[in-house]
Amino acid sequence: MINLYTWATPNGRKISILLEELGLDYAVSPVDLGKLEQFSAHFSAISPNNKIPAIIDTEPDRDPVVIFESGAILTYLAEKSGQFLAPHGQARYSAMEWLHWQTSALGPMLGQLGFFAVRSQEKSPLAIARFTEEVERLLTVMEKQLTSNAYLAGEEYSIADIACYPWVQAATVYFKEALNGSFDTKPALQRWLKTVGERPAVKRGMAVPTL
Ligand SMILES: N[C@@H](CCC(=O)N[C@@H](CS)C(=O)NCC(=O)O)C(=O)O
């Protein structure tokens, strides 16, 4: 049984999407970020960086596996099941490239844009310009990749798509104004959003946790 520690955010939903895709049995432990539950002693012991998502995978006759950081969790679950990550060769490393690109670039830059352009009361024009420009650059990189490939890592849907989808989907809703029509000029990105978003497991995973 896998216990998923999560909240209603893009990083948490990457993991619920993959668990739904895999059809694995899992329990959800909501960590209410609004109530600062990420700093509880219990959760700190599981996720020392005090961020969701995290998992505990318990199986009979072995010590539980405890993992934080969405990229590590996606890789673990893909390897455990033998799905959505090729075992070797170019396809594996293409998926790893785009997975790391998401966790090191797309996620943090969208997160900063959200903070400065949407959530912050004080508006810093320099910070907003800096993160808008960088997000626009990253979405253009994605558009280019998806113009010549069905999915981020090539012709197969992989954990790289699962990592990017909740972030890009949220950006189309929350950063529409900040990004000023950027999605309208990216047909390949729109096609990918539709294809991935229509998968039944993605729909179910995006609805976790139920609040
Ligand atoms: N690099 C981490 C980022 C995780 C992350 O930023 N999680 C956010 C929610 S989307 C969080 O827990 N924020 C709580 C906080 O910053 O206190 C990952 O990919 O798992």
Side-chain angles (χ1 to χ4, degrees), residues 9-11 14 33 38-39 50-53 69-71 103 167:
T9 68
N11 284 317
K14 296 171 191 174
L33 303 182
Q38 68 273 34
F39 298 107
N50 302 99
K51 290 187 190 280
I52 62 97
E69 278 295 322
S70 62
T103 59
W167 276 102

Side-chain angles (χ1 to χ4, degrees), residues 10-210:
N11 284 317
R13 284 173 172 156
K14 296 171 191 174
I15 313 303
S16 43
I17 289 173
L18 181 56
L19 287 165
E20 291 291 338
E21 292 281 11
L22 297 173
L24 290 175
D25 226 5
Y26 69 103
V28 175
S29 294
V31 179
D32 188 333
L33 303 182
K35 292 185 183 157
L36 302 180
E37 287 176 0
Q38 68 273 34
F39 298 107
S40 71
H42 172 69
F43 188 64
S44 293
I46 297 164
S47 180
N49 194 34
N50 302 99
K51 290 187 190 280
I52 62 97
I55 62 162
I56 301 182
D57 184 6
T58 316
E59 275 182 22
D61 303 325
R62 69 146 167 77
D63 288 339
V65 177
V66 185
I67 315 175
F68 70 96
E69 278 295 322
S70 62
I73 300 169
L74 291 173
T75 305
Y76 170 76
L77 292 173
E79 287 180 340
K80 179 183 167 95
S81 63
Q83 292 185 69
F84 305 115
L85 178 62
H88 46 70
Q90 183 63 57
R92 178 182 180 83
Y93 293 99
S94 294
M96 295 300 265
E97 281 173 347
W98 288 97
L99 174 64
H100 285 273
W101 177 83
Q102 191 287 316
T103 59
S104 67
L106 185 69
M109 292 304 121
L110 280 170
Q112 295 301 327
L113 181 62
F115 177 80
F116 284 108
V118 182
R119 295 203 309 280
S120 175
Q121 294 290 323
E122 188 186 320
K123 296 295 175 208
S124 159
L126 179 62
I128 293 172
R130 161 76 186 146
F131 292 112
T132 304
E133 197 178 301
E134 185 58 6
V135 164
E136 180 55 35
R137 190 190 70 77
L138 291 165
L139 293 176
T140 303
V141 169
M142 211 173 163
E143 171 71 9
K144 192 169 169 212
Q145 178 70 0
L146 291 169
T147 299
S148 44
N149 297 278
Y151 295 101
L152 284 166
E155 294 315 297
E156 301 292 328
Y157 174 67
S158 75
I159 54 173
D161 301 289
I162 294 174
C164 289
Y165 178 79
W167 276 102
V168 180
Q169 196 278 335
T172 63
V173 178
Y174 299 108
F175 305 153
K176 211 173 174 165
E177 204 178 310
L179 291 172
N180 193 23
S182 168
F183 290 100
D184 300 341
T185 61
K186 297 186 175 55
L189 192 52
Q190 284 187 42
R191 184 259 310 148
W192 172 88
L193 269 171
K194 188 168 182 309
T195 307
V196 176
E198 280 175 353
R199 293 177 71 93
V202 171
K203 289 190 175 140
R204 292 196 301 275
M206 289 293 284
V208 174
T210 29

